[in-house]
């Protein structure tokens, strides 16, 4: 897979994948607005992504299969903080047909290369619902460390919910993310900016 910035012509593929995966995604995401999958909502989303990219507060990517350029999911680094913190929060989603096939593991590793190599962050954080075993396993497999629980941390599917918090420091990533420690590209090669 590779990561790339979402663009206007992605709307049909994005809206179709999200619509087909809505029941699969709903338990893990904020409630979708009624117009969530419309072209106008997608344009607003792109403007928001571009503004975040410009001001350095967030970076949104689509996860795309290299062999045929099919959209598989999305990944976002948000709440990027500079100064004494040097951190950001990682979130992701995968279309139901592509779940549990290693796609998001590869995408998260590519995103970590971007976070630590390109953005030179010190820390990347992630959170998931305690019942989201697949996401917990993914973060563990990618080398994230579980840090504890946050009570009513995010509003998911219309309700404030507890989350398990995870983090990875740059020095930890150097040991577990292929291509990061030796300056080689490894999975980061899959990232297009």
């Amino acid at each position: 897979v590779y990561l790339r910035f979402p663009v206007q012509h992605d709307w049909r593929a994005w809206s179709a994948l999200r619509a087909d995966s809505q029941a699969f995604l709903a338990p893990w995401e904020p409630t979708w607005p009624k117009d969530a999958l419309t072209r106008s909502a997608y344009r607003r989303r792109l403007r928001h992504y571009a503004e975040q990219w410009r001001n350095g507060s967030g970076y949104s990517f689509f996860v795309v299969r290299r062999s045929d350029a099919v959209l598989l999911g999305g990944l976002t680094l948000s709440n990027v903080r500079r100064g004494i913190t040097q951190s950001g929060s990682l979130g992701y989603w995968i279309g139901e047909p592509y779940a549990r096939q290693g796609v998001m593991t590869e995408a998260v590793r590519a995103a970590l290369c971007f976070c630590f190599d390109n953005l030179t962050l010190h820390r990347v954080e992630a959170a998931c619902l305690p019942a989201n075993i697949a996401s917990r396993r993914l973060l563990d497999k990618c080398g994230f460390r579980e840090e504890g629980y946050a009570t009513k941390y995010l509003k998911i599917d219309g309700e404030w919910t507890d989350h398990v918090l995870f983090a990875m420091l740059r020095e930890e990533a150097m040991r577990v993310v292929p291509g990061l420690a030796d300056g080689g590209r490894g999975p980061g090669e899959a990232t297009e900016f």
Side-chain angles (χ1 to χ4, degrees):
V1 300
Y2 64 93
L3 306 179
R4 69 165 171 75
F5 190 78
V7 294
Q8 287 284 347
H9 76 266
D10 291 321
W11 171 70
R12 275 193 209 290
W14 173 83
S15 62
L17 182 58
R18 297 280 295 172
D20 291 345
S21 302
Q22 187 169 8
F24 173 73
L25 296 170
W28 319 115
E29 294 190 352
T31 303
W32 295 10
K34 289 182 177 156
D35 71 340
L37 301 178
T38 64
R39 187 182 296 266
S40 61
Y42 183 74
R43 285 186 188 130
R44 286 193 304 273
R45 182 180 294 268
L46 289 183
R47 285 193 296 272
H48 179 69
Y49 291 164
E51 177 61 27
Q52 286 184 319
W53 195 286
R54 274 192 299 279
N55 68 30
S57 65
Y59 302 86
S60 294
F61 299 98
F62 278 166
V63 178
V64 179
R65 189 166 50 210
R66 186 171 295 283
S67 63
D68 57 6
V70 168
L71 174 65
L72 308 174
L75 192 143
T76 303
L77 181 70
S78 61
N79 302 315
V80 175
R81 297 171 303 280
R82 294 298 186 171
I84 62 171
T85 304
Q86 300 293 330
S87 66
S89 298
L90 187 66
Y92 44 84
W93 65 273
I94 188 81
E96 185 174 16
Y98 312 111
R100 294 174 183 84
Q101 297 177 20
V103 169
M104 196 50 69
T105 300
E106 189 176 343
V108 166
R109 287 178 176 155
L112 289 170
C113 287
F114 174 74
C115 293
F116 294 122
D117 283 344
N118 297 75
L119 299 180
T120 64
L121 295 180
H122 168 68
R123 175 184 171 90
V124 175
E125 302 161 344
C128 66
L129 292 167
N132 192 341
I133 302 303
S135 191
R136 293 176 77 167
R137 286 184 182 146
L138 165 70
L139 293 169
D140 183 59
K141 185 175 183 179
C142 289
F144 280 79
R145 179 176 22 83
E146 187 175 321
E147 292 193 323
Y149 276 70
T151 304
K152 298 188 185 279
Y153 186 65
L154 296 171
K155 196 171 191 178
I156 300 296
D157 199 21
E159 300 205 17
W160 289 104
T161 56
D162 298 348
H163 278 67
V164 182
L165 303 178
F166 292 83
M168 179 183 287
L169 302 178
R170 177 174 176 70
E171 54 266 26
E172 294 166 338
M174 302 271 293
R175 292 189 298 269
V176 299
V177 178
L180 187 62
D182 61 5
R185 293 311 299 159
E189 197 172 6
T191 311
E192 297 180 1
F193 308 111

